Amino acid sequence: MVLLFRLRLLTLLLAALGGIMLHPAAARAQGGEVQTVWRLLDYVAVDYAGAVSGGRVTSTTEYAEMTEFSATIRTGIAALPSNPGRARLIAEAQGLEAAIASKAAPEAVAQKARALASDLLAAYPVPLAPAKAPDPARGAALYAENCASCHGAKGDGHGPQTIGMDPPPIAFTDAERARKRSLFALYQVIDQGLDGTAMQSFAHLPSEDRWALSAYVGGFAFKDTVAGERIWKTDPALRQRFPDLQAFTSMTPEALGRAIGQDKADAVIAYLRANPQALRPPTPASLAVAREKLAQSLAAYRAGDRRGAEQLALSAYLDGFEPLEPVLTARDATLMARIEGAMGEFRTAIGRGEPADVLASKSAVIEGLFTDAETVLSPDAASDASTFIGALTILLREGLEALLIVVAMIAFLRKADRPEVLSYVHGGWIAALIAGGATWAVATYAISISGASRELTEGFGSLFAAVVLVSVGIWMHGKSHAESWQRYIREALGKALSRRSAWFLFGLAFLVVYREAFETILFFAALAAQGRGSVIAAGAATAVAVLAVVAWAMLRYSRSLPIGKFFAYSSVLIAILAVVLAGKGTAALQEAGLIDITPVAHVPRLSMLGIFPSLQPLLLQFLALAILWLGFWYNGRKHAAASAAAE
């Protein structure tokens, strides 16, 4: 069945070798020549078992092909350009030829052929893989359009057009045969077709389509993707066997089975061929962008392009490092803060026009921190415990701010005996969660949220919430005296809450919850990309339970508080949150490059409290404190004057 196709391969190889002998001055390693030798080795590894068994020839025709192919492999390698590894390759080819001549066991011949194929690619690198991970959905569409009529919709070789075909189409569901074929071998058949059969060449398809089709076809015999995903995500040593797409396309299931067991290998192959995107480089590859931009920034600064250096330094953070911030924060918040601060200092040094050597030293510090980050971000560094704690702390940290404000509003309405307005508050935070889910869907399936967009959303959202909370805090403080509260109830509450204030409460609940939901979703999306979905869910569920207990306790004990104390405590809480959000919002706008950074020595970085070692956030926090102090002072004087008049 495959004799004519093999003869065609042999003819192509001999023609290529003849061209080399006729033009010795132009002799060089052409990708086609190396690929042809590689294909012959693949055929020997797979089909020798059909020629020899137990030291005896079982098929004279097949054995003659194996003998001829082994000689062609040796002469083909010998005709390749001089290379330090060529002599060893020739010796391996001679060993393979001798093994076939002596009718060695199929396992031994296959091992020699595979080893020689691997060494060939090491000595004469050629692209045997696609530029990017194949698209299984595209492969399925191509298969239905071009292949299903012969090979069957299920890949079993029983398509509607198979009647009278001789030989019949291959059954891709044949696991025994499929285990011997790499995706590259399938790609070559799709590319060249099979002479003497109905299998035509699909070389007219773009290369990425042929790869997509080979990945889809190669998955018919392997279906246990669930087990494969579990094994892939929990076995670091296994992931090291697939450092790139070339390892993925050249690895046969049989070869992987010899290393980890055939059942596990079949499951892993099923998962990877159905989900090639799982082979994307891990997070350290993203730091290459940060490193590249940082180096370009330093080079631009040395060349006198200060503006370009500033833009490149900002891009190094927003495009190269900021996308990794969620996972790094979950695993090592201290290291994340150090890198964030160091990159901010680098941008500040550019703005100040400091000597290039100073910038170079700061860049070297950042490079060292990047190396530490790569170690922390490595998939092997993650554990169930660290993932659980990361999910728990992220949701607790981000959810607590929103919870305190929403619960304070709910408690306020209960104190005011206005339960009909509670629906506005509940509607606000529920709408925020729905909007957060929509943000996740858009960021995952439609567009990518850039680092700048994320920082701007956080920054402006935080500052707007801080302005609102300052006014709310001063208002609440003014109602902390019982007589002031009663007067307010009589004069304005019913009217205000029946009109604009109800929608104001809706807007405030939406704003504070969406801001936290937006950041939380981005953090969890980054964690989910690392795997361990069940552990992340457990951490999130634990955080939700803790937040529920906090909400219950606040609502439970706020009922028993006298109205004056309730408003006094609530005003202080809201004032603190306003100051925290003022610092966070300013820092986010600094990270987006909208506000300059002026470092302040001896100020700790306490991001949870909104405190950063930079002048701008501190100034805005002091401004918020000053406005709150003036508001509280004015409320005190107003109350004292009212009390004096009453006497």
Side-chain angles (χ1 to χ4, degrees), residues 240-264:
Q240 291 177 358
R241 294 180 180 274
F242 295 90
D244 50 33
L245 285 172
Q246 182 163 307
F248 168 61
T249 57
S250 61
M251 177 79 74
T252 65
E254 186 177 68
L256 184 61
R258 288 194 294 269
I260 66 173
Q262 197 60 61
D263 289 343
K264 288 178 64 177

Side-chain angles (χ1 to χ4, degrees), residues 141-152:
L142 289 166
Y143 182 85
E145 179 181 349
N146 299 286
C147 313
S149 60
C150 293
H151 293 280

